[in-house]
């Protein structure tokens, strides 16, 4: 149990180290790498403030925790990493900070905006694979939207038949009757993607 206060660990590599129970207060952890190192999640209190460096810090800890088989700390590191990625992508197209304005100009800002949109969509859609609840809600919303579209735009199906068609198409049931309209064919193709 060691207490580190106001220490600079810039560029350090912790390899095969046991830091369990150690405390890090106001330490500079920029560009730090961890390999096969036992360390508590309290280390995140000294994570770099710069989002792009924080991403590398959290990723290094995530890989470290995975190599140790420490699932709980790995999941915590993933959440820190995803939050840092979100903040970095947002700042890269929206921030007025000089670092981001110099690094991302013109079309590069638009590319960063698109990366941020995809990142946010993945978070909302399925939580980057970390949230079964978000994935289930997304699937439920897709089914509801598909059912409504089929009900509204299909003249050949009643609402009950639309529901039946939607569910059968979603699970890939071979017994789904061949749709007679192009719209239903598109819906069928769309649902097979899931």
């Amino acid at each position: 149990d060691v207490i580190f206060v106001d220490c600079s660990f810039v560029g350090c590599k912790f390899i095969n180290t046991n830091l369990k129970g150690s405390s890090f207060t106001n330490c500079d952890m920029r560009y730090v790498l961890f390999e096969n190192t036992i360390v508590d999640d309290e280390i995140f209190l000294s994570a770099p403030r710069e989002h792009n460096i924080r991403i590398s810090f959290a990723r290094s800890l995530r890989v470290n925790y995975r190599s140790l088989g420490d699932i709980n700390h790995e999941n915590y590191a993933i959440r820190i990493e995803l939050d840092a990625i979100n903040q970095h992508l947002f700042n890269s197209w929206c921030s007025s900070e000089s670092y981001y304005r110099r690094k991302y100009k013109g079309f590069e800002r638009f590319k960063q905006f698109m990366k941020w949109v995809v990142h946010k969509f993945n978070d909302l859609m399925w939580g980057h694979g970390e949230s079964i609840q978000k994935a289930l809600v997304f699937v439920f919303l897709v089914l509801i939207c598909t059912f409504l579209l089929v009900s509204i735009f299909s003249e050949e199906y009643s609402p009950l038949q639309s529901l039946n068609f939607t569910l059968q198409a979603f699970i890939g049931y071979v017994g789904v009757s061949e749709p007679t309209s192009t719209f239903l064919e598109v819906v069928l193709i769309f649902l097979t993607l899931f």
Side-chain angles (χ1 to χ4, degrees):
D1 293 350
V2 178
I3 299 173
F4 297 99
V5 179
D6 296 326
C7 295
S8 176
F9 293 103
V10 175
C12 287
K13 293 181 181 180
F14 292 94
I15 302 172
N16 298 324
T17 308
N18 186 347
L19 297 171
K20 186 157 183 70
S22 297
S23 172
F24 299 87
T25 305
N26 200 30
C27 294
D28 190 350
M29 297 293 226
R30 290 176 294 154
Y31 310 109
V32 173
L33 296 175
F34 299 89
E35 286 182 29
N36 201 28
T37 296
I38 299 170
V39 61
D40 295 327
D41 60 3
E42 185 181 317
I43 196 163
F44 283 106
L45 296 174
S46 287
R49 286 179 170 72
E50 303 90 346
H51 299 295
N52 56 335
I53 302 172
R54 188 183 199 98
I55 293 167
S56 298
F57 177 78
R59 187 170 292 148
S60 176
L61 279 167
R62 175 177 55 86
V63 171
N64 176 66
Y65 290 137
R66 178 177 290 161
S67 71
L68 297 173
D70 188 345
I71 305 287
N72 292 330
H73 283 110
E74 178 187 0
N75 289 339
Y76 185 72
I78 287 171
R79 286 192 298 276
I80 300 293
E81 181 182 356
L82 289 172
D83 182 56
I85 289 170
N86 180 54
Q87 290 298 317
H88 173 68
L89 289 174
F90 179 79
N91 288 341
S92 67
W93 69 269
C94 189
S95 176
S96 59
E97 293 178 37
S98 60
Y99 167 79
Y100 291 105
R101 292 294 56 89
R102 280 192 314 269
K103 183 162 178 137
Y104 302 104
K105 298 176 184 176
F107 189 67
E108 283 299 314
R109 284 179 68 189
F110 177 73
K111 284 172 40 179
Q112 291 301 108
F113 170 73
M114 293 309 297
K115 287 180 183 179
W116 178 76
V117 167
V118 169
H119 182 80
K120 289 303 279 184
F121 180 73
N122 281 332
D123 182 41
L124 292 172
M125 183 174 76
W126 61 296
H128 301 285
E130 298 298 314
S131 174
I132 189 70
Q133 296 91 349
K134 286 184 179 183
L136 292 174
V137 167
F138 180 74
V139 167
F140 184 69
L141 289 175
V142 166
L143 287 173
I144 288 175
C145 290
T146 306
F147 163 71
L148 291 173
L149 287 172
V150 170
S151 294
I152 293 168
F153 294 108
S154 173
E155 296 173 2
E156 61 186 273
Y157 288 140
S158 69
L160 188 56
Q161 289 172 319
S162 297
L163 178 62
N164 187 38
F165 172 81
T166 301
L167 293 174
Q168 286 183 359
F170 180 73
I171 63 172
Y173 181 62
V174 185
V176 145
S177 59
E178 286 295 318
T180 57
S181 70
T182 306
F183 171 74
L184 290 177
E185 288 178 12
V186 170
V187 168
L188 191 58
I189 291 169
F190 174 75
L191 282 178
T192 57
L193 295 175
F194 292 95

